[in-house]
């Protein structure tokens, strides 16, 4: 990386952001709260670009996310709370502190030990719980994965993959039993347990649950769009078609994808 060019571009970018804050009516009005939802949206747009493997779009979306970071730091500076330099400094100090195997005498053999050390250091530096670093507003599927990952880092975990699969089967059986009880609350609780155990199993087979589900979402969209287009081309209305007729288009979409 060309550090000199990076520093020059960062300075020029900060100058533009500061100027916009002073002169643009929209930028003047922004607050922590008004930017929050937009930051979430920009982050999701970045993840979309990553899933699509679109490097040009990733570059653009990274810039949008970084703009928000600069904006938050600028608002904090106006309030005399902290500034962008403070953000960089605190991050640098934390990274050095959390990597004693690089900047200290600690020895590690693999990435799992790195994660374990990270959590131990967090607890020593003020975190009340291993789970406290998991944001409350995370989507539930991702939150489940992060909670399990955090617990695993301190040894609270299954030792063998087959044990987790057995747990999935056990939770499925409990869900079936709950469905027989016709208690909505009980069914929902057992369904949640089943999802949680599936997320755990995904971790053991090295599958990113959010990526996996989103890829399936996109696959469903492609196939359903094919179904809609095929029906329209043949002059058929979906609401008037049987499931067997729709399945014919669906299976054709699957066959084309498999090619």
């Amino acid at each position: 990386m060309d550090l000199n060019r990076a520093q020059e571009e960062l300075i020029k970018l900060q100058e533009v952001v500061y100027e916009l804050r002073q002169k643009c009516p929209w930028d003047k009005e922004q607050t922590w709260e008004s930017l929050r939802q937009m930051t979430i949206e920009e982050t999701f747009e970045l993840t979309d670009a990553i899933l699509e493997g679109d490097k040009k779009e990733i570059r653009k979306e990274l810039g949008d996310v970084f703009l928000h970071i600069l904006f938050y730091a600028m608002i904090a500076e106006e309030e005399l709370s902290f500034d962008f330099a403070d953000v960089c400094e605190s991050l640098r100090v934390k990274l050095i502190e959390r990597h004693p195997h690089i900047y200290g005498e600690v020895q590690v053999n693999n990435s799992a030990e790195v994660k374990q050390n990270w959590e131990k250091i967090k607890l020593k530096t003020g975190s009340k719980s291993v789970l406290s670093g998991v944001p409350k507003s995370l989507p539930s599927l991702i939150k489940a994965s992060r909670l399990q990952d955090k617990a695993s880092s301190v040894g609270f975990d299954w030792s063998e993959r087959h044990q987790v699969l057995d747990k999935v089967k056990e939770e499925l059986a409990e869900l079936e039993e709950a469905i027989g009880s016709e208690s909505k609350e009980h069914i929902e609780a057992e369904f949640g347990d089943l999802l949680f155990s599936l997320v755990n199993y995904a971790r053991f087979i090295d599958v990113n649950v959010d990526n996996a589900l989103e890829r399936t979402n996109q696959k469903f969209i492609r196939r359903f769009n094919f179904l809609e287009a095929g029906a329209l081309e043949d002059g058929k209305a979906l609401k008037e078609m049987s499931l067997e007729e729709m399945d014919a288009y669906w299976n054709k979409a699957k066959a084309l994808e498999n090619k």
Side-chain angles (χ1 to χ4, degrees), residues 93-112:
V93 170
K94 182 172 74 172
L95 288 174
I96 292 173
E97 182 181 66
R98 301 278 176 89
H99 291 79
H101 54 289
I102 303 296
Y103 301 103
E105 304 300 321
V106 174
Q107 299 293 319
V108 296
N109 297 311
N110 50 52
S111 61

Side-chain angles (χ1 to χ4, degrees), residues 187-210:
I187 293 170
E188 187 175 277
E190 294 299 342
F191 191 83
D193 290 347
L194 175 60
L195 285 178
F196 197 81
S197 62
L198 281 169
V199 170
N200 204 19
Y201 187 60
R203 186 168 55 85
F204 270 78
I205 58 175
D206 197 26
V207 168
N208 182 299
V209 288
D210 190 62

Side-chain angles (χ1 to χ4, degrees), residues 168-182:
V168 171
K169 295 174 181 177
E170 176 187 321
E171 295 295 352
L172 179 58
E174 290 180 4
L175 173 61
E176 291 175 341
E177 182 179 340
I179 291 171
S181 73
E182 298 184 356

Side-chain angles (χ1 to χ4, degrees), residues 7-246:
Q7 290 171 346
E8 290 173 4
E9 290 298 332
L10 176 58
I11 291 171
K12 288 190 283 187
L13 174 59
Q14 287 177 296
E15 289 173 350
V16 170
V17 174
Y18 276 99
E19 185 174 17
L20 291 175
R21 178 66 167 177
Q22 294 168 4
K23 299 179 180 179
C24 173
W26 185 88
D27 287 80
K28 285 181 180 180
E29 294 175 354
Q30 300 315 304
T31 64
W32 298 96
E33 291 76 16
S34 68
L35 287 172
R36 178 181 173 275
Q37 184 58 43
M38 288 183 281
T39 304
I40 294 171
E41 292 173 9
E42 293 295 353
T43 304
F44 277 114
E45 288 178 7
L46 171 60
T47 63
D48 285 347
I50 291 171
L51 283 175
E52 293 166 5
D54 188 335
K55 301 296 175 59
K56 184 177 180 181
E57 195 67 15
I58 291 172
R59 172 181 171 177
K60 181 179 81 68
E61 296 301 341
L62 280 171
D64 290 344
V65 172
F66 188 55
L67 169 60
H68 282 239
I69 294 171
L70 290 176
F71 220 137
Y72 286 123
M74 183 171 57
I75 293 173
E77 185 176 355
E78 293 169 356
E79 297 176 351
L80 302 180
S81 302
F82 57 85
D83 59 20
F84 183 68
D86 293 324
V87 174
C88 294
E89 179 188 22
S90 62
L91 176 58
R92 175 180 56 80
V93 170
K94 182 172 74 172
L95 288 174
I96 292 173
E97 182 181 66
R98 301 278 176 89
H99 291 79
H101 54 289
I102 303 296
Y103 301 103
E105 304 300 321
V106 174
Q107 299 293 319
V108 296
N109 297 311
N110 50 52
S111 61
E113 292 183 5
V114 172
K115 290 167 68 176
Q116 289 171 4
N117 285 335
W118 183 283
E119 296 301 337
K120 290 176 182 177
I121 294 168
K122 282 183 66 176
L123 289 173
K124 289 180 181 178
T125 54
S127 293
K128 296 180 179 179
S129 167
V130 170
L131 305 180
S132 61
V134 181
K136 295 178 181 178
S137 56
L138 266 184
S140 297
L141 192 69
I142 301 174
K143 184 188 291 185
S145 182
R146 294 296 294 131
L147 289 171
Q148 294 166 3
D149 196 45
K150 291 277 189 179
S152 176
S153 69
V154 293
F156 187 76
D157 207 353
W158 299 96
S159 57
E160 300 292 339
R161 187 169 71 184
H162 71 84
Q163 295 173 311
V164 190
L165 184 57
D166 288 341
K167 185 63 176 176
V168 171
K169 295 174 181 177
E170 176 187 321
E171 295 295 352
L172 179 58
E174 290 180 4
L175 173 61
E176 291 175 341
E177 182 179 340
I179 291 171
S181 73
E182 298 184 356
S183 166
K184 184 176 180 180
E185 184 177 347
H186 189 196
I187 293 170
E188 187 175 277
E190 294 299 342
F191 191 83
D193 290 347
L194 175 60
L195 285 178
F196 197 81
S197 62
L198 281 169
V199 170
N200 204 19
Y201 187 60
R203 186 168 55 85
F204 270 78
I205 58 175
D206 197 26
V207 168
N208 182 299
V209 288
D210 190 62
N211 288 352
L213 183 56
E214 182 54 28
R215 284 195 168 91
T216 297
N217 288 340
Q218 293 303 317
K219 180 170 61 179
F220 181 88
I221 291 170
R222 287 194 307 272
R223 292 177 181 177
F224 196 83
N225 286 344
F226 182 89
L227 189 166
E228 289 178 310
L232 181 63
E233 185 178 339
D234 293 337
K236 299 178 180 179
L238 291 183
K239 290 184 178 180
E240 298 173 1
M241 294 170 61
S242 67
L243 181 58
E244 289 74 16
E245 288 177 299
M246 288 189 280

